[in-house]
Amino acid sequence: MSSNGADIATAVRDTIYLASLLQDDEKWAEWLDLCDEDFAYAIKAYSPEIQYDMTYLSGNRKELQSITEMLPKHNTDHSPLTRHTVVYTVDVDEGAGRASAVSSVAVHQTMLDGINSHVDAGESRLFLIGKYYDKFKIADGNVKFAERVVKLNTRRLDKGSHWPI
Amino acid sequence: MPARNAQQWSRPPSGLKPGEYVDSRIYSDNDIFEEELQKIWKKTWIPVCHESELAKPYDFRTMTIAREPIIVVRGSDNRVRAFLNVCPHRGNMIERRPSGSFAEGTPSGNPKRMTCMFHAWQFDMKGNCVFISRQEEGYQDRLCPKDVGLRRLRCEVYFGGFVWVCLDDKVDKTVAEWAAGCLDCLQPSLDAEPLEVFHYHKAIIPCNYKLWHDTNCEFYHDYLHYHNRITGFNDAYFARKNSGFDNGHINVGSFEVQYDKYEGFESRANVSFPSLPPNHWYMIDMFPGANFNLRGSALRCDLMTPLAPDKVLIEFRGLGLKSDSPETRRARVEHHNTIWGPFGRNLHEDLLAVSGQGAAMDSRAEHRHILHGRHENETIHDENGMRHFYDEWGRWMDRSPGNPDQRYREGHNQPGVSA
Ligand code: FES
Ligand SMILES: [Fe+2]
């Protein structure tokens, strides 16, 4: 890899970590600013019960913007989600202006108002585990998310969530 | 009336009659819960999965009803049969996977057999024991395979391919008779061609199973959902009928959903089901706890397994047509998941609300009344669906839902009380 390629790989990693921080802080607009206009997002899981590759949520950038802007109008579990993300691999195709990365992610939920706050608030629980399969567009040294597929291992999601993972 | 003191709080509101409220103990009391498993869940037809989940001969699915492990298998004759998933030898659970195929052998057994891995007894797809390891050496002529078949269960495939199981050998009705007409509104749509499950996820929720069923039966909670608040309320919506059928089942009749008024949603008119006008919506709630919900493009089905008075497993499925093109399937999946998926808009709100009910109904908390007293000409915000359910519940339990210490006839079914 050229030194430029190494820089891009670092920028890819930084972008993934920054995305996790922004999502943890529920800064959805800033998170979407890391994404290309043609960004595509999906949460998927394979079900051994029905032996089917499932899609639990999907949307383009505009749809995600609409979903996240609507959040204050929903009744929601406000227990914060915290992503523990580790980037495993980054592949850069400099010529094509593309990169891809695979990360492991574990999301913990720190209870706030989901059940009985007097008893549960403050307790952290494992919410889900999975992997991020990310694709990036690189232009002028800028790295933007072109696609994120969250592949969940967890399929018992209990109350679920209104928030993108 | 101002806030009430303890004595006033313990009485139902004076304007409501028995049948228009229930006692919170029916959602929290452990003895009542155990009794429900015996008297209701082991006696009635329970849908357990869809036949597309065991599409080929030797495919199987496992589940539980009222703590009994169950296996559903498809035989070489293509027939779907159900058995207790319990080995007649030393009581091991025979199959541990959620789904799979017996076409291949297992470490302890041969192909085309259900094999108990413990001591390798083998069973065919009809539940006959066909092999006992070292039979003669150990049992001489005292025991032979025909004495140790599996426990077979009543099983039917009915209503768009759903698999129904009843633990009671003596159940006197077919599924169709048990449904008593409540499935008719969707039968032409679901029976026209084979269906396929495209969505499955599960939730274990800290509330009584009936609270989830109630939420599926009442639409007054439109106020919980943003999309329903902003789009639902017009004359056609409020005219939707909420009708009861024998055996405690209900329907909520169709109306046209105006998806183009939903922020961020498009009309779903281009994807539908056979015989279903575009964007129409039917809901069926079956006693004691199954829900079928066909909303234009996607069929949702909730199946419940009560685990404890304050704990229920809910399995959520989404179904389309087996013949769907990839594009149609994508549309169905998206329509289903934006509202009903684990990251959808409405399901999370519904589950939050029943979790809140569960948190306020600890079995050791003081009991209180839960009100089901709205009368709106049996239309959408009437609470007749829940009253109908609890009238049936009272009959099966021989307890009054409004005061479970009283027999059904003493408490609930008084003259002048309509369900
Ligand atoms: S317990 Fe099944 S073979 Fe022994
Ligand atoms: Fe709802």
Side-chain angles (χ1 to χ4, degrees):
Chain A
M1 198 188 290
S2 69
S3 66
N4 191 34
D7 289 349
I8 292 170
T10 303
V12 164
R13 267 188 212 98
D14 290 349
T15 306
I16 293 170
Y17 288 131
L18 181 58
S20 284
L21 281 174
L22 292 171
Q23 288 184 281
D24 285 358
D25 291 343
E26 295 158 41
K27 291 180 177 161
W28 305 111
E30 288 174 56
W31 172 57
L32 288 172
D33 281 344
L34 300 177
C35 304
D36 188 70
E37 283 308 311
D38 299 323
F39 177 63
Y41 176 87
I43 303 177
K44 297 186 175 192
Y46 175 76
S47 165
E49 290 84 8
I50 61 169
Q51 303 182 39
Y52 195 86
D53 270 311
M54 305 178 294
T55 301
Y56 279 166
L57 184 72
S58 61
N60 57 30
R61 186 172 162 164
K62 198 165 139 257
E63 286 160 341
L64 285 169
Q65 189 183 336
S66 153
I67 282 176
T68 50
E69 284 175 357
M70 258 189 289
L71 285 172
K73 298 172 183 169
H74 286 296
N75 290 296
T76 223
D77 184 338
H78 298 91
S79 306
L81 297 181
T82 309
R83 293 147 187 82
H84 182 81
T85 308
V86 178
V87 180
Y88 282 173
T89 64
V90 178
D91 290 300
V92 179
D93 183 341
E94 278 184 78
R98 283 197 294 260
S100 60
V102 179
S103 312
S104 169
V105 61
V107 181
H108 292 87
Q109 183 173 47
T110 302
M111 302 306 290
L112 177 63
D113 59 0
I115 303 178
N116 180 351
S117 60
H118 180 221
V119 177
D120 303 308
E123 180 188 324
S124 295
R125 302 175 177 178
L126 184 65
F127 183 60
L128 59 82
I129 58 168
K131 287 208 170 66
Y132 286 141
Y133 292 87
D134 293 328
K135 291 195 174 130
F136 297 88
K137 255 191 203 168
I138 301 149
D140 310 325
N142 260 330
V143 170
K144 293 267 189 195
F145 279 98
E147 183 184 287
R148 163 159 285 182
V149 175
V150 189
K151 248 193 132 192
L152 299 185
N153 297 90
T154 309
R155 302 173 317 281
R156 199 194 114 190
L157 290 151
D158 293 349
K159 282 196 268 60
S161 174
H162 280 145
W163 296 332
I165 297 303
Chain B
M1 173 141 183
R4 292 172 288 168
N5 65 26
Q7 197 192 11
Q8 292 164 331
W9 169 251
S10 68
R11 287 197 299 260
S14 57
L16 297 191
K17 296 196 231 94
E20 296 177 333
Y21 53 84
V22 300
D23 186 306
S24 62
R25 282 175 293 173
I26 69 166
Y27 299 113
S28 59
D29 183 273
N30 199 55
D31 293 340
I32 292 177
F33 176 78
E34 293 300 330
E35 206 176 298
E36 285 178 296
L37 295 187
Q38 300 307 320
K39 290 186 173 171
I40 297 175
W41 286 84
K42 287 190 173 181
K43 299 284 180 202
T44 53
W45 284 104
I46 308 292
V48 293
C49 66
H50 188 260
E51 56 114 14
S52 67
E53 297 165 42
L54 48 154
K56 299 185 295 297
Y58 303 103
D59 285 354
F60 69 85
R61 281 285 274 127
T62 57
M63 63 283 299
T64 51
I65 299 175
R67 303 208 179 95
E68 303 289 356
I70 287 164
I71 185 160
V72 174
V73 294
R74 190 184 286 276
S76 57
D77 56 358
N78 239 342
R79 237 185 95 180
V80 174
R81 296 178 176 84
F83 307 96
L84 279 192
N85 185 13
V86 176
C87 179
H89 176 223
R90 285 222 297 130
N92 185 28
M93 191 179 285
I94 296 172
E95 180 54 54
R96 294 168 298 144
R97 293 169 288 174
S99 77
S101 168
F102 293 117
E104 306 289 323
T106 53
S108 303
N110 296 323
K112 303 186 177 175
R113 301 278 182 256
M114 292 183 251
T115 300
C116 176
M117 68 175 183
F118 212 166
H119 315 92
W121 286 26
Q122 297 186 21
F123 307 89
D124 67 14
M125 299 301 117
K126 292 178 176 168
N128 302 308
C129 179
V130 290
F131 177 73
I132 296 175
S133 39
R134 304 191 73 240
Q135 180 189 335
E136 277 175 36
E137 290 87 336
Y139 293 110
Q140 300 82 39
D141 52 6
R142 295 172 297 117
L143 180 136
C144 67
K146 73 170 172 31
D147 300 325
V148 285
L150 298 185
R151 156 88 158 93
R152 68 164 186 270
L153 303 173
R154 297 284 298 270
C155 178
E156 277 190 40
V157 177
Y158 187 73
F159 186 57
F162 285 93
V163 179
W164 305 68
V165 172
C166 182
L167 290 173
D168 182 5
D169 284 349
K170 298 197 186 73
V171 64
D172 60 354
K173 293 181 175 72
T174 62
V175 176
E177 289 161 354
W178 167 245
C182 79
L183 301 173
D184 292 359
C185 60
L186 285 184
Q187 207 131 21
S189 300
L190 302 198
D191 281 341
E193 52 172 299
L195 307 183
E196 188 174 64
V197 183
F198 60 69
H199 175 93
Y200 178 89
H201 84 277
K202 54 186 176 187
I204 293 183
I205 300 295
C207 78
N208 186 270
Y209 77 90
K210 296 189 293 302
L211 292 168
W212 186 247
H213 195 72
D214 293 350
T215 296
N216 275 336
C217 289
E218 64 100 344
F219 283 70
Y220 185 39
H221 79 270
D222 277 323
Y223 294 96
L224 174 70
H225 302 306
Y226 169 62
H227 289 303
N228 303 37
R229 287 198 302 273
I230 58 160
T231 59
F233 301 149
N234 57 40
D235 290 348
Y237 184 74
F238 284 117
R240 274 179 92 183
K241 272 289 185 193
N242 200 333
S243 15
F245 293 78
D246 282 355
N247 306 322
H249 316 311
I250 70 159
N251 276 182
V252 181
S254 186
F255 86 121
E256 196 171 337
V257 186
Q258 295 174 299
Y259 284 103
D260 34 5
K261 297 222 178 102
Y262 274 41
E263 225 174 302
F265 289 92
E266 285 157 16
S267 168
R268 289 148 190 227
N270 51 341
V271 185
S272 189
F273 271 69
S275 315
L276 185 78
N279 281 339
H280 275 241
W281 181 6
Y282 284 101
M283 177 92 134
I284 300 167
D285 292 289
M286 284 188 78
F287 187 87
N291 169 263
F292 302 95
N293 191 345
L294 183 53
R295 192 166 164 164
S297 53
L299 175 69
R300 163 178 158 191
C301 169
D302 298 3
L303 303 180
M304 285 196 284
T305 304
L307 300 175
D310 58 354
K311 201 166 164 190
V312 58
L313 165 69
I314 314 172
E315 292 172 284
F316 298 99
R317 283 173 173 79
L319 296 96
L321 302 178
K322 204 173 161 135
S323 65
D324 285 344
S325 67
E327 194 190 343
T328 300
R329 181 58 63 84
R330 254 196 309 280
R332 288 194 203 279
V333 168
E334 196 184 311
H335 295 170
H336 174 272
N337 288 341
T338 44
I339 309 266
W340 294 331
F343 301 92
R345 301 303 99 188
N346 283 22
L347 188 72
H348 179 58
E349 294 176 322
D350 289 321
L351 292 170
L352 265 180
V354 294
S355 301
Q357 287 181 294
M361 282 185 210
D362 187 273
S363 63
R364 288 138 296 183
E366 284 175 27
H367 56 96
R368 51 208 59 161
H369 293 98
I370 311 301
L371 308 184
H372 297 156
R374 294 180 61 83
H375 288 270
E376 282 193 64
N377 205 17
E378 303 198 344
T379 55
I380 188 111
H381 281 193
D382 199 313
E383 288 171 336
N384 60 315
M386 289 186 288
R387 291 193 293 277
H388 186 64
F389 177 95
Y390 286 105
D391 191 56
E392 185 71 15
W393 185 91
R395 260 195 290 273
W396 283 84
M397 295 288 285
D398 196 17
R399 286 178 184 265
S400 162
N403 179 358
D405 293 334
Q406 287 186 317
R407 314 263 319 248
Y408 169 70
R409 290 196 186 285
E410 292 161 20
H412 188 59
N413 195 23
Q414 291 169 352
V417 178
S418 70

